[in-house]
């Protein structure tokens, strides 16, 4: 995976990998093909990939579940 920007957080579970960049979350499959994208994550601090394919996007005071 060629990354030209800062990676803030990475989490993997099952066959998915969630990567938090500045302002967005991208979910990749195990072969690093982009599977889903969520824009508007400017305040996110970290991500937690779940076995079911959902992603917990964690901010300083709360979290949001992203269901691709």
């Amino acid at each position: 995976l060629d990354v030209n920007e800062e990676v803030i957080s990475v989490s993997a579970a099952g066959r998915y990998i969630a990567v938090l960049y500045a302002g967005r979350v991208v979910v990749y499959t195990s072969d690093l093909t982009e599977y889903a994208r969520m824009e508007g994550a400017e305040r996110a601090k970290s991500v937690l990939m779940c076995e079911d394919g959902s992603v917990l996007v964690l901010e300083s005071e709360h979290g949001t579940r992203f269901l691709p």
Side-chain angles (χ1 to χ4, degrees):
L1 184 62
D2 186 21
V3 177
N4 295 326
E5 58 191 301
E6 181 181 6
V7 173
I8 298 168
S9 178
V10 176
S11 179
R15 52 185 210 151
Y16 298 103
I17 303 163
V19 180
L20 174 62
Y21 300 100
R24 73 181 195 280
V25 177
V26 181
V27 178
Y28 298 97
T29 59
S30 58
D31 66 355
L32 299 180
T33 302
E34 185 173 324
Y35 174 71
R37 176 184 295 244
M38 181 184 95
E39 301 290 339
E42 288 81 10
R43 295 174 37 190
K45 304 290 185 198
S46 64
V47 290
L48 178 63
M49 189 78 229
C50 301
E51 288 279 337
D52 65 0
S54 66
V55 181
L56 290 176
V57 181
L58 305 171
E59 295 181 13
S60 58
E61 296 185 17
H62 74 279
T64 303
R65 185 174 295 266
F66 169 45
L67 301 167

